[in-house]
Amino acid sequence: MALIQLDEEQVRTWTRAQKDEWWLRNVFPRRHATAHRALGLTGFLLGGVLAATAMYIGAKTGISIGVGLTAVILAFALYRIMDGAGIAKDFTILENNCTQSIATAAGYMIGPMISSLTAYMLVTGTIIRGGTWWCGCASSRSSACCWRSR
């Protein structure tokens, strides 16, 4: 099946509003829900795990890690597992992207914490050792993770 697309004249002459309307009528899959509670909840939980992981690694090494690719892989695997267990249907690409975006946003929110902690130790010459309670809040509305680093 060939992909539906605008011809060259339509691309040159149509306004942005006309192109958007055409895309919504012809391309956008209306049968796919793109936002519902399961997406937000899954992204929230996945973001909490990723934020905790990134905060732990950052507190131990002083290096911040990227969580975007990890969020994509874990969201995809989680949906496949839930589909196999019969808990939920397999999510579409749009739904997986939505969950991955929420999880990535929560996971990256701890970056300033890691850099400020490292900067504090460099400026004061104080090394914060294990046994200190670290509390990393990934987002005020998303995930909050607290643990004791060793």
Side-chain angles (χ1 to χ4, degrees):
M1 179 174 139
L3 294 175
I4 302 170
Q5 60 186 6
L6 296 173
D7 61 27
E8 298 227 4
E9 180 184 340
Q10 291 169 327
V11 171
R12 279 193 315 272
T13 59
W14 283 11
T15 65
R16 181 181 296 248
Q18 289 174 314
K19 292 174 187 175
D20 288 345
E21 180 63 33
W22 180 88
W23 183 84
L24 282 171
R25 265 188 287 114
N26 298 307
V27 179
F28 182 71
R30 295 199 186 274
R31 67 185 183 282
H32 298 304
T34 56
H36 48 79
R37 287 188 182 106
L39 297 177
L41 181 64
T42 308
F44 169 81
L45 295 173
L46 194 57
V49 170
L50 292 172
T53 304
M55 187 64 181
Y56 180 78
I57 291 171
K60 287 294 190 176
T61 65
I63 300 170
S64 61
I65 61 168
V67 296
L69 184 60
T70 308
V72 171
I73 294 168
L74 287 178
F76 181 77
L78 185 62
Y79 292 149
R80 287 295 172 132
I81 290 169
M82 289 192 313
D83 183 45
I87 297 170
K89 64 175 181 60
D90 195 16
F91 285 5
T92 63
I93 293 171
L94 294 173
E95 292 168 323
N96 194 18
N97 186 21
C98 183
T99 300
Q100 177 259 330
S101 297
I102 294 169
T104 300
Y108 275 120
M109 292 301 284
I110 53 90
M113 290 180 167
I114 294 168
S115 59
S116 62
L117 176 66
T118 307
Y120 172 78
M121 288 190 282
L122 285 172
V123 168
T124 63
T126 306
I127 295 179
I128 301 174
R129 303 217 179 266
T132 305
W133 282 89
W134 294 101
C135 182
C137 297
S139 172
S140 60
R141 295 186 181 180
S142 187
S143 349
C145 321
C146 296
W147 68 93
R148 184 175 181 190
S149 65
R150 298 180 189 160

